[in-house]
């Protein structure tokens, strides 16, 4: 899953509210401040709900500063509804020429439909490379415009990713959370007053700063009902990521497009399964 490693590093399992402290002469229980005890409890419950989800809707946005990725920086986004059987539907935006819709059924073939805007960008790039490249790419654009490109599972050997591969595997995503371990926050997470983030009423869970400054990295859990994790934000080394989660347990409706709207990538040539279909 896109950004799953960062998710695992931010969302780790939590400990209890009381901590035994041993001193010479005996042991007593140190109680955490109320906001930290509440923060640990909510984070633990939210993690349990997330780990047990059979399906989930995830929207991830990642932005890098211009200092690393050229003027204006780089923005990527993927929005998917996925389950533990590797069914998923959604959209992806990995930059110019790499935007479109995605369908995957039970971890098999993926169906990708590029937006008209992406195809136009690819056309312009090809034209800049000369008549021969432009003619080859123009022919392929004509074949796939408005249609789904069927790509076999596991493909993506070219430099331009044909599909967001492992992003459709909820088991893999949640497995990375399990790998984060159960070391706990050791009292270093704090529940803030309820507020609104990304259109939802939530309780922010943050790592408190000594100077009282607002923390940019936060976990957000639902303020009403069960404390489902609805989002988290992370900023590090000039990169910012927001991951929003919803529709816990809602079945994924993933169906193959009609044959008339599908073209098999293997029929187009240009490497394995047409992997370099639009390489310019």
């Amino acid at each position: 899953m896109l950004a799953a490693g960062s998710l695992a590093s931010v969302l780790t399992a939590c400990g209890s509210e009381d901590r035994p402290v041993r001193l010479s002469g005996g042991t007593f229980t140190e109680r955490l401040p109320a906001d930290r005890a509440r923060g640990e409890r909510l984070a633990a419950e939210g993690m349990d709900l997330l780990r047990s989800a059979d399906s989930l809707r995830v929207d991830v946005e990642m932005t890098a500063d211009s200092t690393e990725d050229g003027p204006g920086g780089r923005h990527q986004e993927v929005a998917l509804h996925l389950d533990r059987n590797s069914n998923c539907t959604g959209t992806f935006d990995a930059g110019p020429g790499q935007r479109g819709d995605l369908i995957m059924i039970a971890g098999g073939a993926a169906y990708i439909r590029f937006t008209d805007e992406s195809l136009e960008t690819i056309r312009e790039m090809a034209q800049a490379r000369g008549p021969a490249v432009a003619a080859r790419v123009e022919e392929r654009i004509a074949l796939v415009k408005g249609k789904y490109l069927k790509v076999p599972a596991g493909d993506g050997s070219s430099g331009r990713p044909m599909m967001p591969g492992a992003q459709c595997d909820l088991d893999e995503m949640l497995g990375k959370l399990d790998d984060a371990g159960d070391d706990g926050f050791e009292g270093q997470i704090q529940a803030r007053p309820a507020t609104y983030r990304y259109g939802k009423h939530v309780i922010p869970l943050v790592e408190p700063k000594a100077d009282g400054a607002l923390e940019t990295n936060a976990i957000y859990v639902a303020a009403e009902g069960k404390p489902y994790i609805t989002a988290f934000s992370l900023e590090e080394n000039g990169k910012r990521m927001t991951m929003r989660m919803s529709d816990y347990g809602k079945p994924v409706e993933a169906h193959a497009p009609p044959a008339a709207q599908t073209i098999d990538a293997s029929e187009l040539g240009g490497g394995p399964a047409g992997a370099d279909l639009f390489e310019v």
Side-chain angles (χ1 to χ4, degrees):
M1 178 67 198
L2 184 67
S6 296
L7 178 60
S9 68
V10 173
L11 302 179
T12 55
C14 306
S16 62
E17 298 183 4
D18 299 335
R19 305 188 182 283
V21 178
R22 183 174 300 278
L23 297 176
S24 59
T27 300
F28 71 93
T29 299
E30 177 188 39
R31 295 194 63 84
L32 295 173
D35 56 351
R36 299 196 185 189
R38 185 179 184 223
E40 291 210 5
R41 176 177 58 80
L42 290 173
E45 293 177 8
M47 280 299 302
D48 286 343
L49 291 169
L50 180 58
R51 285 190 172 110
S52 63
D54 291 323
S55 61
L56 195 65
R57 191 177 301 276
V58 181
D59 188 325
V60 181
E61 293 184 62
M62 299 181 69
T63 303
D65 287 343
S66 59
T67 53
E68 288 194 12
D69 292 277
R74 182 176 180 182
H75 179 84
Q76 299 182 62
E77 182 173 0
V78 60
L80 297 173
H81 189 197
L82 66 164
D83 64 21
R84 291 182 180 273
N85 296 317
S86 295
N87 294 296
C88 79
T89 63
T91 61
F92 61 93
D93 179 352
Q98 300 181 57
R99 301 184 176 103
D101 303 318
L102 168 69
I103 301 172
M104 178 179 276
I105 303 170
Y111 299 87
I112 300 168
R113 182 173 59 186
F114 290 98
T115 65
D116 288 347
E117 179 187 24
S118 287
L119 295 178
E120 181 59 32
T121 298
I122 292 170
R123 174 182 287 115
E124 293 173 357
M125 293 169 62
Q127 290 172 347
R129 293 290 302 277
V133 174
R136 171 174 59 81
V137 171
E138 188 65 42
E139 179 180 358
R140 293 175 175 179
I141 288 176
L143 290 172
V144 303
K145 186 173 183 178
K147 294 185 177 181
Y148 284 90
L149 184 66
K150 182 179 180 181
V151 182
D155 188 64
S157 55
S158 71
R160 181 188 302 278
M162 294 297 293
M163 56 166 288
Q167 292 172 351
C168 283
D169 191 334
L170 183 59
D171 270 335
E172 181 174 332
M173 169 189 163
L174 297 179
K176 291 183 182 297
L177 297 182
D178 291 332
D179 291 342
D182 295 304
D183 297 330
F185 285 103
E186 297 297 329
Q188 295 305 308
I189 190 165
Q190 179 184 67
R192 293 275 177 84
T195 185
Y196 286 88
R197 287 290 186 276
Y198 313 114
K200 295 184 178 181
H201 195 209
V202 297
I203 298 171
L205 307 179
V206 303
E207 183 178 355
K209 289 185 175 181
D211 59 5
L214 292 178
E215 176 60 66
T216 55
N217 300 338
I219 306 168
Y220 300 98
V221 300
E224 287 90 22
K226 294 182 179 180
Y228 285 101
I229 295 175
T230 63
F232 85 91
S233 59
L234 176 68
E235 184 171 343
E236 188 175 19
N237 298 326
K239 296 182 179 180
R240 294 172 296 281
M241 178 171 62
T242 300
M243 185 173 187
R244 290 174 285 167
M245 290 159 279
S246 61
D247 290 341
Y248 282 74
K250 183 178 180 179
V252 177
E253 298 292 336
H255 306 287
Q261 298 178 19
T262 304
I263 183 167
D264 197 312
S266 63
E267 299 176 5
L268 301 179
D276 61 351
L277 178 63
F278 296 117
E279 285 299 311
V280 295

